[in-house]
Amino acid sequence: MGRFIARRLFFFIITLLTTSILIFALIRAAGGNVAAILLGKNSSAEEIHKLSAELGLERPLPVQYFEWMNNFLHGNLGAAFRSKQLASHLIWTQAPVSVPLSLGGFLLAILLAIPLGTYAAKNYNKPSGAIVAVLSQVGIAIPVFWAGLLLSLVLGVHLHILPTGGWTPWSDSVVGAMRSLVLPIFTLGIVMASTLTRYTRTAILDVMNEDFVRTARASGMSRRVALIKVGLRNASLPLVTVLGLLAAEMVGGTVIIEKVYSLPGISRMILDNVTAREVVVVQSTVMVIVIYVMTINLIIDLAYGLLDPRIRVTK
Amino acid sequence: MSLALKIPKIRASGIWKKSRLPLVIGGSLTSVMVALGIVSIFWVPRDVNGIDPAFRMLSIGTPHHLFGTDYLGRDVTSMLMAGLRTSIIIGSSAAFLSLVIGTILGMVASSVSKLDEPIMRMADIFMAMPGIIFALVLASTIGPGYLTTIFALTSFFTPAFVRVTRASSMRVLAEDYIAVARLYGRKRLFITFRHVLPNISSILIVQFTIYFAAGVLSEAGLSYLGVGINRPSVSLGMMLHEAVEQIGISDPLCVWPGLAIVILVIGLNLLGDGLRDHFDPRFSQRVR
């Protein structure tokens, strides 16, 4: 187990380092002249040159990268060129929107998909199972923002049950904040659940034919108990991979959902800062998001490693 | 009369076999949507950017404007067709480029052991990244458009192709006939093209349709965010972005583009499922 954890952690760090180089290269290589954009159209070459030098943007890129990384690792995520606001402060103010939304959607997806997928697999030859399978097939094809649009149209605009968008800060009203998160979380949850339901169904169908399920049945377990006790646990191996991919999808979904329900979350912040060429802020924010996703991945991996001895060996 | 009654008793065969159903439905849906997209290259009923204040917000079924018009009087039917074209071009190009690059890298990884580990770790890293964030950054820095979107999607679809190619070509390379081919003195490149590629092509075709669908969805998402396709081009995601302004005023505008995306994606996914069952019948019969 120790070796397994060490291996996972090693890969975690290598991935983050590679990602940081990619982020830096992508944003800097394609970013154009930051100082020129900051100063606007009517600036002279001299002014641009002066500001670039002031901001330290004229030094070699590797030097800038190492400085950024060094600061980042010491908890200094940099500040915006214009407003001088700290990136960490900006991220911290968006987190109460984006974190509950993304995690809520992720958990809802798992809570919906595992029972539904198991049910669909168990009843694969009955109409009820087929209905679940068809629904998940349709759900996969629905773009997350369209689901959000339709839900807010029906529940918000026409039925007035929930707010169609906008955000009530937690400090103003906890209930209000939760109310503005219900629809976004629900949207994200059901769309992600469709994919997961399908994978769960396939994984369990695969497992159903295995000898150990037959043995469990022969030992007197009912079909249901054998499936849940033996089947689900053994089907978890392929599901770990899917959950990992879903964690990355969750961030994408969150970004889009925030836009649909006009929530002041991470997506608005990135969009604003990318447009304003606040390169340091963008770099650090993207890096924080990647760390967030990778940490969820790591937790899932380690949890399953504890549950399932095979993962410790195979990976 | 009696003939009609007898039909259900005849054992389903040919394309109507139950397992072929996804293939037939998926194939038909995809063909119809792709055909509409292709037609739009040569002909659309009205100019997709043709603003006509006299015909604003017409409802569905209006003569000459089958699906009505939007808040600027632009013809929705034409925009839907042009949007489908965009979805299809971007989805298929991204999937095709990923297929080509991913297959090459996957084959190299499976047959050159020195490069296996680096290629696979790189693929893992790309897979764990939130692609949409990168697409967002990319689009805002080098500007949105067809090429940017295709480039961003290709970067994040390729790893899946690398993994699938590597795994399936490893399986082929372990077969006895490969050992025989090696003994016979066949070079690595020959084995790859003569033996491995034909044997994994069915898996790759299925993978292609699935990522075609994923590309359609991603493009719609990016265009909805405003960083994918912009006017004068038309995209289904962009249409939904514009329709949000009219929410509560003209709700059908929010429905049609989404429906078009869903039909195309369901078609492609079913086609993928159907093809997989077709190429590998064991998959559908395995469940007893």
Side-chain angles (χ1 to χ4, degrees):
Chain A
M1 191 65 199
R3 232 188 115 213
F4 167 71
I5 296 177
R7 217 182 128 78
R8 285 281 107 188
L9 279 176
F10 176 72
F11 182 57
F12 178 74
I13 292 164
I14 294 290
T15 310
L16 286 182
L17 278 178
T18 321
T19 319
S20 71
I21 296 173
L22 272 173
I23 294 171
F24 186 85
L26 186 68
I27 294 174
R28 290 302 169 91
N33 192 328
V34 177
I37 295 157
L38 287 176
L39 285 169
K41 274 180 189 150
N42 300 321
S43 53
S44 66
E46 206 173 301
E47 284 172 322
I48 293 172
H49 181 71
K50 203 179 145 228
L51 184 69
S52 278
E54 255 173 50
L55 296 172
L57 294 168
E58 299 228 310
R59 293 169 299 160
L61 283 177
V63 174
Q64 291 189 48
Y65 169 76
F66 281 112
E67 190 196 55
W68 170 58
M69 258 296 96
N70 189 29
N71 286 337
F72 192 93
L73 293 174
H74 286 91
N76 172 9
L77 309 195
F81 297 131
R82 252 172 291 209
S83 62
K84 306 288 173 213
Q85 272 186 308
L86 288 175
S88 48
H89 171 76
L90 287 171
I91 295 169
W92 191 243
T93 49
Q94 324 296 329
V97 182
S98 301
V99 172
L101 170 56
S102 54
L103 280 186
F106 196 55
L107 289 179
L108 182 66
I110 295 175
L111 289 178
L112 280 174
I114 305 283
L116 274 177
T118 315
Y119 178 83
K122 195 174 137 252
N123 300 303
Y124 72 92
N125 50 3
K126 291 185 198 148
S128 57
I131 289 172
V132 176
V134 169
L135 280 181
S136 76
Q137 182 75 266
V138 173
I140 291 170
I142 295 181
V144 64
F145 59 91
W146 194 51
L149 224 65
L150 293 184
L151 282 172
S152 78
L153 191 66
V154 175
L155 296 177
V157 178
H158 290 306
L159 299 177
H160 303 290
I161 299 174
L162 288 161
T164 50
W167 172 247
T168 316
W170 291 97
S171 51
D172 286 7
S173 153
V174 173
V175 179
M178 280 161 83
R179 264 175 68 86
S180 37
L181 278 175
V182 170
L183 213 46
I185 288 180
F186 181 69
T187 314
L188 189 60
I190 52 165
V191 171
M192 290 207 303
S194 320
T195 320
L196 195 56
T197 303
R198 196 170 140 77
Y199 279 107
T200 311
R201 179 176 174 270
T202 316
I204 292 195
L205 278 178
D206 280 352
V207 159
M208 263 162 67
N209 292 322
E210 296 281 351
D211 291 342
F212 50 76
V213 174
R214 201 184 51 198
T215 310
R217 290 271 284 129
S219 77
M221 282 188 203
S222 72
R223 219 178 99 128
R224 216 175 81 93
V225 175
L227 253 188
I228 292 170
K229 274 200 162 167
V230 185
L232 192 59
R233 199 171 154 179
N234 278 288
S236 61
L237 193 59
L239 286 181
V240 186
T241 323
V242 181
L243 279 179
L245 293 178
L246 222 57
E249 202 192 301
M250 165 193 84
V251 170
T254 305
V255 167
I256 294 179
I257 289 284
E258 281 178 0
K259 174 92 175 170
V260 174
Y261 292 103
S262 36
L263 295 172
I266 217 83
S267 80
R268 182 190 285 182
M269 183 195 157
I270 291 187
L271 266 175
D272 289 353
N273 282 295
V274 164
T275 325
R277 292 297 186 281
E278 293 286 1
V279 285
V280 177
V281 174
V282 177
Q283 272 162 220
S284 295
T285 313
V286 175
M287 199 59 211
V288 168
I289 294 174
V290 172
I291 292 175
Y292 177 60
V293 174
M294 297 294 298
T295 309
I296 294 177
N297 264 323
L298 186 72
I299 293 170
I300 294 171
D301 269 2
L302 292 180
Y304 270 106
L306 281 174
L307 282 176
D308 191 334
R310 281 177 303 176
I311 296 181
R312 276 174 252 162
V313 186
T314 49
K315 281 194 179 172
Chain B
M1 187 62 193
S2 61
L3 190 74
L5 283 173
K6 265 180 194 166
I7 287 174
K9 287 184 186 165
I10 297 170
R11 250 185 77 198
S13 63
I15 60 164
W16 297 114
K17 239 157 92 177
K18 201 178 154 200
S19 63
R20 294 267 171 87
L21 212 57
L23 192 63
V24 176
I25 299 176
S28 329
L29 289 179
T30 310
S31 321
V32 171
M33 297 315 250
V34 170
L36 278 174
I38 292 176
V39 168
S40 83
I41 299 175
F42 307 104
W43 176 82
V44 283
R46 294 268 183 286
D47 178 11
V48 289
N49 292 306
I51 294 171
D52 195 345
F55 294 102
R56 294 171 61 221
M57 303 298 252
L58 293 180
S59 59
I60 182 168
T62 314
H64 306 299
H65 296 288
L66 197 58
F67 281 90
T69 55
D70 72 355
Y71 64 105
L72 291 173
R74 291 175 293 205
D75 182 43
V76 173
T77 319
S78 311
M79 289 202 287
L80 284 174
M81 285 173 73
L84 271 174
R85 180 212 307 162
T86 306
S87 296
I88 290 161
I89 290 176
I90 291 188
S92 60
S93 319
F96 182 73
L97 286 176
S98 315
L99 172 76
V100 173
I101 303 169
T103 307
I104 294 172
L105 287 175
M107 299 260 238
V108 170
S110 68
S111 53
V112 185
S113 53
K114 247 188 216 162
L115 294 173
D116 186 18
E117 193 73 14
I119 291 179
M120 294 320 290
R121 290 294 80 80
M122 209 55 209
D124 283 348
I125 288 169
F126 266 83
M127 261 189 142
M129 279 189 200
I132 201 153
I133 305 260
F134 278 81
L136 230 147
V137 171
L138 206 65
S140 328
T141 44
I142 61 179
Y146 274 82
L147 289 181
T148 314
T149 313
I150 292 172
F151 176 70
L153 296 185
T154 306
S155 317
F156 293 96
F157 288 172
T158 304
F161 283 89
V162 176
R163 276 194 181 183
V164 166
T165 310
R166 177 180 173 273
S168 38
S169 76
M170 288 281 224
R171 217 171 299 142
V172 176
L173 286 172
E175 296 280 345
D176 288 343
Y177 61 84
I178 300 290
V180 174
R182 282 213 185 98
L183 283 175
Y184 194 72
R186 295 298 193 196
K187 294 283 180 295
R188 195 184 280 164
L189 211 59
F190 180 88
I191 291 177
T192 302
F193 282 101
R194 186 73 178 74
H195 297 299
V196 180
L197 204 53
N199 276 300
I200 64 170
S201 59
S202 62
I203 298 172
L204 293 176
I205 292 170
V206 173
Q207 185 87 350
F208 172 80
T209 57
I210 292 168
Y211 277 85
F212 188 161
V216 170
L217 280 177
S218 311
E219 182 275 319
L222 289 172
S223 298
Y224 177 79
L225 286 177
V227 293
I229 304 302
N230 288 337
R231 297 262 175 197
S233 299
V234 178
S235 137
L236 297 171
M238 187 195 78
M239 286 177 74
L240 285 167
H241 177 83
E242 291 175 352
V244 174
E245 314 289 321
Q246 312 302 318
I247 210 164
I249 305 168
S250 176
D251 298 342
L253 285 179
C254 303
V255 176
W256 306 125
L259 214 54
I261 298 172
V262 170
I263 294 173
L264 178 59
V265 172
I266 288 184
L268 284 165
N269 280 336
L270 283 178
L271 183 65
D273 285 359
L275 284 173
R276 188 185 50 210
D277 292 349
H278 177 74
F279 290 133
D280 183 11
R282 277 166 301 170
F283 194 84
S284 53
Q285 285 162 17
R286 209 159 41 190
V287 178
R288 272 159 288 173

